Amino acid sequence: MIAGMYNTIIINIDELWLKGKNRPFYFKTLKKNIKAVLKAVGRKNISVYIENHRFVLNAEQPFSEENIIALSNIPGTNSVIPAARIGKDYKNVFSAVAKEIENTDLTNVETFRIFTRRVDKHFTIKSMDVSKEIGAMVIDKFPDLKAKMVKPDLQIEIRILKDFIYISSRKITAPGGLPVGTNGHLITMLSGGIDSPVASYLMSKRGCKQTFMFFYAYPMVGEEVKEKIEKLTSILGRYQCWSRLYIIKFGDFQKKLSKLCKEDYRTVLFRKYMMECGSILAKKVDAQALLTGDSLGQVSSQTLTNISEIDHFTDLTIFRPLVGLNKIEIIQIAKNIGTYKISVIPFDDACSMLAPRHPVLRSERQYLENFFEENDLNNDMRELVETAEIYDVDPAGVLTEVI
Ligand code: ATP
Ligand code: MG
């Protein structure tokens, strides 16, 4: 049916069946996240209730296509189904199905199928019988349509739940996984590249709330880099509930560090101090782990030795969900979630000015130990976090600076 005509949306839930005793907590969190999205897209007075383990949203004003898309970004949900809702009276089913067909653009539709799910087993007519009978009536009324059981052009679904019957012809796939807020809080190290936004999305799907952190090499790179990060955060924020972006003005510190260390070690040490700032921010906002877009062997700072050395000198757990993915696999996810076209805008996110000519591939523990012994930069780290620019990110992806 045409978007903008549905007053009801069914939201199917993903992995919640795994959760046994914790189920009420998962439902509660998901409901809160759904309501936050509705509020962020400006929808008020919408009833959100649970019917046979699905969320059903019902509104007086129809849901727009934007509303439907916003709802289909919520982790923990499996799919979003715009539907017509009728009472549990079998004789009204056909007219609702006919209306659904009449409101569908049939330009490329020759074949159809009726698919019935009788979740409420007290309903006396069996699924197969409903599908057959309603299917026959459709053929009578719409002689141009032919029934086809495998891969039809149009599938009309009839869901018989506890309180109502729902008619639908469209199902939008959602991210699945777990609701954000059920699995801890991460500091997401977000660069302007392809990888870290994908890492963020993957952990949103695992239910992790995130605070985004960008190290801005200002004044060595320009404002456009910051804008790029804001755009990426706006997309990633839609897979969160409410989150925040911290922009750390890192350029002067990078210059200072570059003078203190061997040139070859700059990249590894930049990374190490980013982790250090991340740990300070984690304490401040009560996060339990850091998240990066590292993929093993992709660049010099991501050799096994360098990753291990960075971990050795950092207290917090670091999540690297892309560690075993190939670049092409990461790109595919980036395209699916909509970050790819922003990530490839060719601005220098780090600063090539300070990049070593021969970055070290196997950092020596002894050199790093001596360096940390001789250089206490803790106050610099704290100062960097204290002076960060902070933005609230709402579930519709709108950023507002926190003053
Ligand atoms: P990406 O595509 O995410 O930029 P990359 O392949 O360019 O990754 P690196 O530049 O080595 O790899 O960065 C590895 C990880 O370190 C990034 O995925 C990100 O999590 C973190 N990181 C790098 N630069 C920054 C930055 N300026 N601000 C925040 N995090 C960063
Ligand atoms: Mg990068």
Side-chain angles (χ1 to χ4, degrees), residues 237-249:
R238 293 171 216 180
Y239 300 104
Q240 284 285 303
C241 192
W242 271 92
S243 56
R244 276 193 163 175
L245 165 67
Y246 281 71
I247 298 180
I248 307 285
K249 291 185 205 76

Side-chain angles (χ1 to χ4, degrees), residues 191-194 271 349-350:
S191 71
I194 296 168
R271 198 72 76 237
D349 56 347

Side-chain angles (χ1 to χ4, degrees), residues 205-259:
K205 283 198 300 129
R206 299 316 301 155
C208 299
K209 173 182 159 67
Q210 295 172 37
T211 295
F212 299 99
M213 190 176 205
F214 171 60
F215 292 87
Y216 182 29
Y218 184 83
M220 288 171 286
V221 299
E223 284 278 323
E224 65 280 1
V225 177
K226 198 171 101 180
E227 280 161 25
K228 185 176 173 183
I229 291 297
E230 289 169 3
K231 282 190 191 144
L232 286 171
T233 311
S234 165
I235 293 181
L236 299 171
R238 293 171 216 180
Y239 300 104
Q240 284 285 303
C241 192
W242 271 92
S243 56
R244 276 193 163 175
L245 165 67
Y246 281 71
I247 298 180
I248 307 285
K249 291 185 205 76
F250 204 50
D252 290 335
F253 176 79
Q254 283 178 297
K255 277 194 218 155
K256 174 174 170 179
L257 189 59
S258 298
K259 287 197 193 113

Side-chain angles (χ1 to χ4, degrees), residues 129-349:
D129 296 335
V130 173
S131 298
K132 262 193 229 151
E133 277 183 35
I134 302 290
M137 290 159 93
V138 168
I139 292 170
D140 269 355
K141 187 170 167 102
F142 302 92
D144 291 343
L145 289 179
K146 282 191 275 304
K148 185 170 180 251
M149 293 306 112
V150 182
K151 292 199 181 162
D153 300 328
L154 175 68
Q155 172 155 303
I156 309 268
E157 301 198 355
I158 301 170
R159 278 181 179 69
I160 304 165
L161 304 194
K162 185 168 121 312
D163 302 321
F164 293 96
I165 298 177
Y166 299 88
I167 314 294
S168 63
S169 59
R170 198 176 152 211
K171 186 186 223 173
I172 300 105
T173 307
L178 304 169
V180 169
T182 58
N183 240 351
H185 182 178
L186 307 177
I187 302 293
T188 301
M189 317 293 265
L190 184 67
S191 71
I194 296 168
D195 304 330
S196 42
V198 172
S200 163
Y201 168 74
L202 293 179
M203 298 319 288
S204 290
K205 283 198 300 129
R206 299 316 301 155
C208 299
K209 173 182 159 67
Q210 295 172 37
T211 295
F212 299 99
M213 190 176 205
F214 171 60
F215 292 87
Y216 182 29
Y218 184 83
M220 288 171 286
V221 299
E223 284 278 323
E224 65 280 1
V225 177
K226 198 171 101 180
E227 280 161 25
K228 185 176 173 183
I229 291 297
E230 289 169 3
K231 282 190 191 144
L232 286 171
T233 311
S234 165
I235 293 181
L236 299 171
R238 293 171 216 180
Y239 300 104
Q240 284 285 303
C241 192
W242 271 92
S243 56
R244 276 193 163 175
L245 165 67
Y246 281 71
I247 298 180
I248 307 285
K249 291 185 205 76
F250 204 50
D252 290 335
F253 176 79
Q254 283 178 297
K255 277 194 218 155
K256 174 174 170 179
L257 189 59
S258 298
K259 287 197 193 113
L260 294 173
C261 73
K262 281 195 208 164
E263 182 186 320
D264 298 357
Y265 275 80
R266 279 179 195 166
T267 314
V268 169
L269 284 169
F270 290 162
R271 198 72 76 237
K272 147 78 188 162
Y273 283 103
M274 285 182 191
M275 300 301 168
E276 216 47 59
C277 287
S279 302
I280 294 171
L281 181 60
K283 264 211 191 93
K284 194 174 147 126
V285 302
D286 203 16
Q288 299 94 36
L290 306 178
L291 170 63
T292 78
D294 292 316
S295 162
L296 190 62
Q298 206 188 77
V299 290
S300 70
S301 58
Q302 298 169 22
T303 62
L304 185 51
T305 314
N306 286 344
I307 285 182
S308 317
E309 288 308 312
I310 288 167
D311 281 6
H312 182 81
F313 292 106
T314 306
D315 290 336
L316 271 190
T317 300
I318 304 175
F319 281 173
R320 297 182 170 89
L322 309 187
V323 74
L325 293 190
N326 303 336
K327 194 75 186 185
I328 200 98
E329 294 167 321
I330 300 169
I331 288 174
Q332 194 50 55
I333 302 173
K335 285 184 176 166
N336 292 345
I337 62 174
T339 52
Y340 182 76
K341 55 184 188 304
I342 302 167
S343 292
V344 293
I345 301 172
F347 294 136
D348 192 9
D349 56 347

